[in-house]
Amino acid sequence: MTDLNRRGLLAASAAGAAFGALPVARARAQAANTIRIGVLNDMSGLYRDVNGPGSVVCARQAVVDSGVTARGINVEIVAGDHQNRPDVGVNIARQWIDRDGVDVILDVPTSSVALAINTVVREKNKVFLNSSAATSDLTGAQCSPNTVHWTYDTYMLAKSTGGAMVRAGGDTWFFITADYAFGHALERDTANFVRAAGGRVLGQVRTPFPGTTDFSSFLVQAQASRAKVIGMANAGGDTINTIKQAAEFGITRRGVKLAALLMFISDVHALGLQTAQGLVCTETFYWDLNDRTRAFTSRVVPNMPQGLRPGMAQAGCYSAVLHYLKTVADMGAAQAKADGAATVARMKAMPTEDDAFGAGTIRADGRRLTPAYLFEVKAPNESRGAWDYYKLLQTTPGEEAFRPIAEGGCALVRS
């Protein structure tokens, strides 16, 4: 358990102790008006910069911006490190819900962990606001009335980045794939778009997850296939290491393109523009996209770890919590706490609106629709200053970016 997790749980315990000193009626009223949000992510591993403490910062900013405390609604945030392991994530989630009265579980990168949490939250009738797991199965075969999938998914990433690479002539592919649910889904969805466009998949290799740092043998296999595009169906530290080692091997100098199917601005920062320049990626948020994204960023940057700018997963935590709290204010905290599925249904009925993503909607399958932006990483001489990393290539409206609702196989969708 991380120090952040311990501090969060101690805070919750202290609050519980304080309740005991209050008159019973007052204590019950205060508990009924207290919403507890658990930020569950990777606080110490390869996704720390993508999620980690930055997601907690963004969730706290949403509480401030929501104004719910002025309306008598208390909000407490706790944090936990699932270590990218489903068993650890499930244990934390059950403890939070059963012992600590957590009403919402937020963030949850690593698709295998998110799919497990999806089941727990539905069983307990709480709310799951997923910002960081990419598997499109969360709004497909494993959709839930208690879950909203907020920021991105494998279908959208495959269609935007993969589709762009094929249109640019990359009609033969080799995949380097993280060997768990996320990597499999991203490879599957991208391969479908490649084949639909008349391209071919020449091969793939599955890399152990977590813990792989040496991608040299996988890159040698990819190069030997003579594919025009090496698709990286991985994320975070794995993506960074794959790109760095590909550069060391001089792979791109031989005309092979790298497709960063899921890349975050923190990854670009870690790589540096000299190495990352020319890479194409898809995000739904960029801190310097417009005046509103810059305003949001200015509010959270003072509290972000190591001076990082918020990435789309962290911005998704802000947006999801803000909309949830607007819903709680609309329906009342006691009712929201009592019935997670009813709260999610009310969230779907209300349009979303915030500085990070602008206007949006939530579909019946739990998919939050937001535009997808295809970016190219700038060359060093194109950057105007710190964190000026992207130039916009194209924008796909949310209604077109994500999988059509009828194709997902979600049982919540009426045929």
Side-chain angles (χ1 to χ4, degrees):
M1 183 180 294
T2 65
D3 289 339
L4 184 58
N5 188 25
R6 282 195 291 269
R7 288 196 300 271
L9 293 179
L10 286 171
S13 298
F19 289 160
L22 296 171
V24 174
R26 184 182 171 192
R28 287 176 178 171
Q30 186 170 340
N33 284 318
T34 297
I35 296 293
R36 293 187 174 89
I37 299 172
V39 182
L40 184 60
N41 64 26
D42 180 355
M43 292 285 178
S44 55
L46 76 168
Y47 298 151
R48 174 185 166 86
D49 287 347
V50 173
N51 308 108
S55 291
V56 180
V57 169
C58 290
R60 287 176 175 156
Q61 188 64 51
V63 177
V64 173
D65 291 354
S66 72
V68 296
T69 55
R71 303 181 63 171
I73 298 172
N74 305 310
V75 183
E76 297 175 357
I77 294 179
V78 298
D81 186 349
H82 62 41
Q83 302 171 38
N84 298 306
R85 292 173 49 187
D87 59 331
V88 174
V90 165
N91 286 339
I92 292 173
R94 289 190 181 280
Q95 174 181 299
W96 276 354
I97 294 170
D98 294 340
R99 192 193 72 181
D100 301 319
V102 166
D103 305 293
V104 180
I105 294 183
L106 175 71
D107 203 10
V108 195
T110 312
S111 292
S112 53
V113 182
L115 290 168
I117 297 300
N118 189 53
T119 299
V120 172
V121 171
R122 184 170 189 170
E123 171 195 327
K124 301 292 186 179
N125 195 21
K126 297 299 181 180
V127 174
F128 181 22
L129 302 178
N130 185 277
S131 181
S132 299
T135 177
S136 56
D137 292 344
L138 283 170
T139 55
Q142 299 200 44
C143 70
S144 163
N146 298 75
T147 295
V148 182
H149 200 177
W150 207 263
T151 311
Y152 58 91
D153 64 27
T154 54
Y155 182 98
M156 179 274 285
L157 296 166
K159 181 178 181 180
S160 180
T161 306
M165 298 294 285
V166 174
R167 289 192 298 274
D171 56 2
T172 55
W173 285 62
F174 187 98
F175 288 96
I176 295 178
T177 303
D179 193 12
Y180 74 106
F182 153 68
H184 299 172
L186 187 52
E187 178 193 314
R188 174 199 68 203
D189 290 345
T190 307
N192 287 341
F193 280 106
V194 170
R195 295 186 182 106
R200 292 180 297 145
V201 176
L202 302 184
Q204 65 279 316
V205 64
R206 303 287 170 82
T207 64
F209 178 86
T212 302
T213 57
D214 185 358
F215 289 84
S216 57
S217 64
F218 309 124
L219 287 163
V220 168
Q221 293 179 62
Q223 192 172 10
S225 74
R226 298 186 180 275
K228 296 178 182 177
V229 179
I230 298 175
M232 295 174 288
N234 53 22
D238 284 352
T239 299
I240 293 169
N241 286 328
T242 306
I243 294 171
K244 282 183 176 178
Q245 290 165 35
E248 291 169 2
F249 286 4
I251 287 177
T252 56
R253 292 198 297 271
R254 299 182 180 94
V256 178
K257 299 293 185 183
L258 299 180
L261 297 171
L262 177 55
M263 189 167 71
F264 300 87
I265 195 167
S266 57
D267 301 333
V268 177
H269 186 70
L271 287 165
L273 293 183
Q274 189 63 45
T275 299
Q277 61 182 310
L279 285 169
V280 174
C281 65
T282 298
E283 301 221 38
T284 53
F285 167 85
Y286 174 44
W287 75 270
D288 201 22
L289 187 64
N290 55 51
D291 288 344
R292 295 186 72 181
T293 58
R294 287 187 285 271
F296 159 71
T297 300
S298 70
R299 296 198 296 275
V300 298
V301 160
N303 297 311
M304 289 290 290
Q306 302 171 327
L308 294 173
R309 295 295 190 275
M312 66 172 169
Q314 295 159 335
C317 290
Y318 168 83
S319 179
V321 170
L322 186 64
H323 187 64
Y324 168 78
L325 292 177
K326 289 178 181 178
T327 305
V328 170
D330 182 63
M331 66 189 300
Q335 183 180 353
K337 290 171 65 68
D339 193 338
T343 305
V344 169
R346 185 72 66 91
M347 291 178 70
K348 293 176 181 178
M350 297 170 58
T352 67
E353 177 69 43
D354 59 78
D355 282 348
F357 295 88
T361 58
I362 303 172
R363 297 192 313 202
D365 60 355
R367 175 71 261 162
R368 196 263 184 160
L369 299 180
T370 189
Y373 304 103
L374 184 69
F375 293 109
E376 181 180 329
V377 179
K378 291 182 175 181
N381 63 353
E382 295 175 305
S383 177
R384 298 166 299 173
W387 294 90
D388 177 29
Y389 293 158
Y390 289 157
K391 51 187 175 185
L392 180 64
L393 299 180
Q394 71 180 43
T395 301
T396 304
E399 295 77 7
E400 300 174 17
F402 293 92
R403 180 177 57 204
I405 192 168
E407 297 179 10
C410 173
L412 303 174
V413 179
R414 295 180 180 178
S415 59

